[in-house]
Amino acid sequence: MIRPPATADHPATDQIPVPPAPSAVSGGNGGADCPDSGEPNHLGVAGKVAKTATAHDAVWPGPVSARRSPAGETWQLWARRAGFALLAGGPAVFLAIFFVWPVATMVAKGFTSSGAWDWSGFAEMLAKPRTWRLIGRTVGQAAVATAICAAAAVPIASLLYRRSFPGRGFVRALLTVPFALPSVVVGLAFRALLGRGGPLGFLGIGDGFWAVLLALVFFNVGLMTRVVGTFWAALDPRPEQAARVLGAGPWRALATVTLPALTPALAAGGSLVFLFCATAFAPVLILGGSTYTTVETEIYLQTAQMLDLRSAAVLSVVQMAVVAVALWFGAAARRRRERALKLTGAGAGIARRRLARSGRRPARSPEPQPTWAVDWASWLVTALMAALIGLPLVNLVYRSLRTSAGLGLGNYLALGDESRAGLPYSLAQAAGRSVVIALLAGAMALALGLAAAVVLSRPRAKASWGRRAQDLFDSVLMAPLGVSAVTVGFGFLITLNRAPLDLRTSFWLIPLAQALVALPLVVRTVLPALRSIDPRLRQAAAVLGAPPWRVFSSIEAGLIRRPAVVAAAYAFAVSVGEFGATSFLARPDTTTLPVAIYKLLGRPGADNLGLALAGAVVLAVITALAMVLAETTWRRRTSQGLRP
Amino acid sequence: MQRSRKSSGASPPAAWAKPLAAALALAMATIALAACAETDRPGSRGSARTGGGAGSSARGEALETVTLVTHGSFNVSADVLAQFTAQTGLELEVLPADDAGAMVNQLILTKDAPLGDAVFGIDNTFASRAIAAGVLEAYKSPQAGPEQGEYAASQDAELTAVDFSDVCLNVDKRAVADGADLTFDDLTKPEFKDQLVVENPATSSPGLAFLLATIAAKGEDGYLDYWRQLKANGLKVVSGWNEAYYDEFSGPSSSGQRTLVVSYASSPPSEIPADAAEPATTAALDTCFRQVEYAGVLAGAANPEGARKLVDFFLGPEFQADMPGQMWVYPVKADIPLPQDWAEWAPLADRPWVVAPQDIAAGRDQWLSDFNDQILG
C-alpha cells in the first residue's frame, strides 16, 4: 500500500540497556551524543521479551505492595487491568473500525457470490498467465531493487559509519531525505528527469521497469544504509583485524569475515525494503505507464476500473501472503541478529555503556585502514547513489523554476491562484489543508501508537491466550503496510456510510485514513526505545509505590521523548504525503496537495506541469521542515541528561 | 488508572503534563469525530457552487443542495450554473470522479448509501452495468423529446441521453495527407509504424469506445488478431486521453511525435494554427464509435426531487447550448445551434460503428479482460 518513509531505527536491547537514541533521522549527528550502538529494530514483531524482567512489570497486573490491605489489593489489581485494557483498547478499537472492518468487508465482497462463499476466484486467477506475470514482475522488481540497495549499502555504510571525513554529516543527511519524501514528489521528480525533455530523456527509460526501479532504489537505499551502518558500527572489529593480520587482503577479509557478519542486518533491512518495494503504488502509477503494472496497481485497476472484486480480492490475498513472507523473513533475520550480537557484542557493549554513563562519547571502533581499491570502490558507489538522489531533486527544483517566460518564480506565484489550476481550489489552499489534516492524523497516530507501544513493550502475558492476543495485536498493527490503499479507501466508502458512523462527507475521513497509514510507523519507532529501557527502573518505581501512570510519566515518558518526537515527525510526513487512500476519499473540499498534484499531472499544458512541479517542491519542503524541526528539538534535548 | 494517595516523591508537573495533554487531545478528537458523524452539514460541503445569487436566497435561507456525481471532464459556464440556481432554488455540489468507468464502479460499490443525488456522464459503454446494478431510479423528464428514442439505453428510462460525440482516430494532416480517409486496415501498414497511440480501454472511455469500434469492424473473433497486428506495428497504449492527446500526439497543441491518436470528431476545430485558416488535424470518419452520455437520478438519493430538476436542466436550452464549448460534445437536442467552426471542421460520421447495448453488456468484461491479458500483457 502507501509507502511510508522508512521506519526509524533504534538501538534495541541487546541485553544491555542503552540510552534510547533515536538515530533514525539523526543524519550527521548520529554518533555525536547517542551511541549508534544497538541494531535497528524495525520489525520487532512479537518475540522480543524483556528477558531480564524478574518481577512483574509496572503496568501489567502484578504483585502489589505488601502495605496494602487485601481489599485494596484486589481493587488495585483490577484498576491496573482496566487501565491496561483501556490502553490496548484505544488502538484495538481504532484498528477494528477503521482497518479490519473496511478491508474485511471489501475482501469478503470478492469471495461471496449471491450470499454464499465462493473460492473459485483463486483457481481462475491463478490459472491466468497474466496473474503470474504480475506476481513475477512485482516480486522480481522488488527483489532487484532490494539487491541494488543491499549492494550499495555496504560500501556506503563503510564510509558513512566506519570512517570520518569532512562532509560526512551532509552525505548522511542527504541519504535520509528520500525516506520522508511523498511518493508523488518522487514519481514526478523522476518523470521530470527521465521523461521526454528531461536531462536524461535521451536514455529512453521514461516509463516502465527502469524508471520504477530507479525510484524504488532512490526511496530505499538510505534506509538500507542506515540499517547496515548502525549494525556495522556496533560490530566487533577485531575478527576483521585478525584476518588482515593473518594475511588476508582487504577484499578477502570483507568477503569471508565482514559480509557474513553483516548478513543478519542485510536480511533484516532487505526484508523491509522488499516490503516497501513490493507494495509501492504512486511510483508505479506515475512512472510505470499503462502497460507496466504490479500486483498493487492491478488491485487498483481491478477494483476501481473493472469492478472485478473477485480478482481484486484474490490479488489482495496474494499480496498479503508476499508481505507476510517478507515480514517473517525479517523477523527470523532479526532473531538471528540478536543472537549474533549476543555472541560478539557483549564485551564492547559493556564498555560502551560505561562510557555512556560517564557522559562521554562512546568508544568507536578503530578506523580500518582499507587499501585504495576498496576505498575507491566505496567512494564510487557513494558518489553514484548521491547522484541518484541529488539529481532528481535538483532537477525538480530547476524545472519548477522554468516558466514560459524563462527562469523565475512564476509557477510559485501561481500556487495561490484559484483559477490557474482548473481545479476548484488553489494549490496553496490544498497545501494548507494538507498540513491541517496531517497534523490531526499525526496526533491521532502518535496517541494511538504510543498506547500500542506501551502495551507491546510490557512483558509477555503468562496465559497463552494473553500471549496470543499480544501477538495478534502486534501483527494487526503492522498489517496496514501490506494492504492495498484502494482496498482501504473503498472499504471506507462501503462501511463507514451509516449512522452513527456516516463519515462519507465528513472532514475526518481523510485524517483517519492517514492516521491508519502512519500508525505502524509510530509503533515501530517508539517500541524499540521502550523495550530498551531497563525493566528494573519500572520495577523500582513500582516498588516505591508509583502507580502505573506515574511510572510511565516519570520514567518512560522522559526516556522516549526523543523517539516520540521523531515518530511524530514521521507520522506527519507520512500523512502529508499520503496519496493512495486519500485519492479515493478526497472530495473537492478535502483534496490534499499530493492528490491535487496528481490531478494536475492529468491536465494538459506546460503551465499545469510547472504548477505541479512547484507544488511538489512545496510538499517536499513541508516534509523536510517537519523532519528538521524534529531533529533540532532532539538536539536540544540531548543536553538535558535523560540517561538512566 | 488510579493515582495512589501514598505516592511518594514530588511529581514534576512537566513530566505528566505531556501524557495528560495527549489524552486530552485524543478525547477532544473523539468528541469532534462524534459530532461530525452526527451532523451532516450541507452548508460546509463541496466547493463548486452556484453561490447565493438569485432565487430563494433572497429570503436569507440556506439553499437546498443537490449533489452531482460526475467525471473529471464535467464543465459548465458559471452563468449557466447561476441560472440553474435561479430557476430551481437549488445549490449544485459537484463531486468529480476520475473517469466515467471508475465513476460507475464507485456508484455501484456505494449503492446502499449513494455519494450524491444525480449522476452525469455515464456513457453507453457503461450504461448497462449501472442499470443492471440498480444504482439508478427511473425518471422520464418532461423535457425529454423524440431524441431519447434514438439513444435509449434501456426500456425503463433509468438514463436520459444528454449529449453524444464520435470517438475517432485523429490524424496530423501535416504528416498524413489523406488522413480523413484512413481506415482500420491502413493502421497495420508499415508506413504507420510507431505512429499510433491509443488510450487503455480499461482506464479510459474513449479507449473503450475505440476498442468497441474495432470489435464492430473486425468481429468478436477477429479483433484480438487485429490488435496484435497493431501491437506489432508499434502501437502505444497510455492510460488516459490527456496523456495520449497532449503528450504523445504530434498536433499543434500537443508535444509528442505520433501522428495518429484516438480522440473525438470535435477535436480538430481546436487545432487551427495561428497562421492557418483550417485545422492541422482531421478525424478519420471511418473509424468512429458514437459515444452517448447520460444523466440519471441515483436510487436512494437524499434529494431525489432536486436530482430530477437537475436532469430537466441538463436537457434545457441553456445547458445544451453551453456543452459544445465546455465539454466538446454535441448536444442531444437537434435544434440547438452548434458553434460555427464545428459545422465546418467537426463533421459527424455518417455511419459510425455500432455495438448493440445488449452486446456491450454481455461482452464488455470479457473483451476488456482479454485485451488486458493478451494485448497489454
Side-chain angles (χ1 to χ4, degrees), chain A residues 313-338:
Chain A
V314 172
L315 288 170
S316 296
V317 171
V318 166
Q319 187 180 43
M320 284 179 220
V322 169
V323 166
V325 168
L327 285 176
W328 174 83
F329 186 75
R334 201 188 50 255
R335 277 194 291 278
R336 231 182 103 190
R337 185 174 49 173
E338 276 155 15

Side-chain angles (χ1 to χ4, degrees), chain A residues 321 357 418 555 636:
Chain A
R357 280 218 180 115
E418 258 188 71
I555 309 253
R636 233 181 309 125

Side-chain angles (χ1 to χ4, degrees), chain A residues 59 67-68 75-76 79-80 82-84 86-87 98 106 109 128 130 133 137 191 196 207 289-291 293 298 300-307 309 424-425 443-444 447-448 450 490 493-494 497-498 500-508 512 544-550 552-554 557 561 564-565 583-584 586-589 598-599 601-605, chain B residues 1-12 14-16 18-19 22 25-26 28-29 32-34 36-38 40-41 44-48 67 72 93-99 101-106 108-110 112-115 126 129 200 202-204 236-239 241-243 246-248 255-257 365 368-369 372-377:
Chain A
V59 165
R67 284 177 293 174
R68 309 227 180 265
W75 192 89
Q76 202 189 24
R80 283 182 184 186
F84 192 75
L86 263 179
L87 220 48
F98 298 113
M106 202 61 200
K109 253 184 181 306
K128 277 191 186 181
R130 178 179 160 84
R133 274 204 298 276
R137 189 183 284 158
R191 192 157 129 168
R196 200 182 301 117
D207 52 19
S290 131
T291 51
T293 47
E298 184 74 4
Y300 160 74
L301 188 75
Q302 294 293 347
T303 309
Q305 303 287 352
M306 314 280 263
L307 199 66
L309 297 184
Y425 41 79
M444 277 192 270
L448 295 166
L450 279 177
F490 262 121
L493 287 182
I494 62 169
N497 60 6
R498 288 178 198 85
L501 256 185
D502 183 359
L503 300 182
R504 277 167 303 154
T505 59
S506 164
F507 168 80
W508 285 92
L512 283 167
L544 291 172
W549 65 265
R550 181 71 201 285
F552 179 82
S553 65
S554 331
R561 197 181 303 170
V565 168
S583 67
F584 283 96
R587 298 164 75 93
D589 57 341
Y598 184 73
K599 280 190 192 293
L601 283 183
R603 287 169 189 272
Chain B
M1 275 171 278
Q2 198 234 356
R3 184 180 177 182
S4 164
R5 275 156 293 158
K6 291 184 182 173
S7 108
S8 55
S11 88
W16 50 279
K18 194 168 180 172
L26 188 65
M28 277 166 60
L33 182 67
C36 283
E38 273 169 31
D40 182 22
R41 297 152 297 166
S44 67
R45 316 186 328 192
S47 56
T67 305
E93 182 191 6
V94 177
L95 263 192
D98 282 343
D99 66 273
M103 173 185 75
V104 170
N105 296 341
Q106 199 166 11
I108 292 173
L109 281 176
T110 56
D112 297 336
L115 297 166
F126 278 102
R129 176 180 286 179
N200 185 350
T203 55
S204 154
K236 179 157 190 171
V237 184
V238 298
S239 55
W241 180 85
N242 270 313
E243 289 90 336
Y246 287 109
D247 296 346
E248 300 293 340
S255 59
Q257 267 108 46
D365 293 355
L368 280 177
S369 159
N372 236 350
D373 292 352
Q374 299 184 33
I375 306 300
L376 293 182

Side-chain angles (χ1 to χ4, degrees), chain B residues 143-159:
Chain B
Q143 301 271 4
E147 80 282 347
Q148 295 296 331
E150 189 183 340
Y151 298 118
S154 74
Q155 306 292 321
D156 301 327
E158 287 99 342
L159 285 169

Side-chain angles (χ1 to χ4, degrees), chain A residues 152-215:
Chain A
V154 173
I156 299 176
S158 79
L159 286 182
L160 297 184
Y161 289 85
R162 304 272 288 168
R163 312 277 303 275
S164 57
F165 55 88
R168 185 180 77 162
F170 176 76
V171 181
R172 270 201 200 179
L174 181 69
L175 272 175
T176 62
V177 168
F179 282 10
L181 279 187
S183 51
V184 171
V185 174
V186 176
L188 195 49
F190 272 89
R191 192 157 129 168
L193 183 71
L194 301 173
R196 200 182 301 117
L200 298 184
F202 63 89
L203 293 175
I205 52 170
D207 52 19
F209 177 78
W210 290 105
V212 175
L213 185 71
L214 284 178

Side-chain angles (χ1 to χ4, degrees), chain A residues 216-237:
Chain A
L216 293 179
V217 172
F218 173 94
F219 261 131
N220 292 301
V221 71
L223 161 67
M224 194 75 183
T225 303
R226 179 164 293 281
V227 174
V228 172
T230 48
F231 183 75
W232 201 346
L235 212 59
D236 189 345

Side-chain angles (χ1 to χ4, degrees), chain B residues 326-352:
Chain B
Q326 292 292 332
M327 291 188 263
W328 294 3
V329 292
Y330 297 82
V332 75
K333 294 276 188 190
D335 54 346
I336 301 291
L338 287 174
Q340 181 61 40
D341 51 355
W342 280 44
E344 213 164 337
W345 304 117
L348 287 162
D350 292 334
R351 287 177 48 243

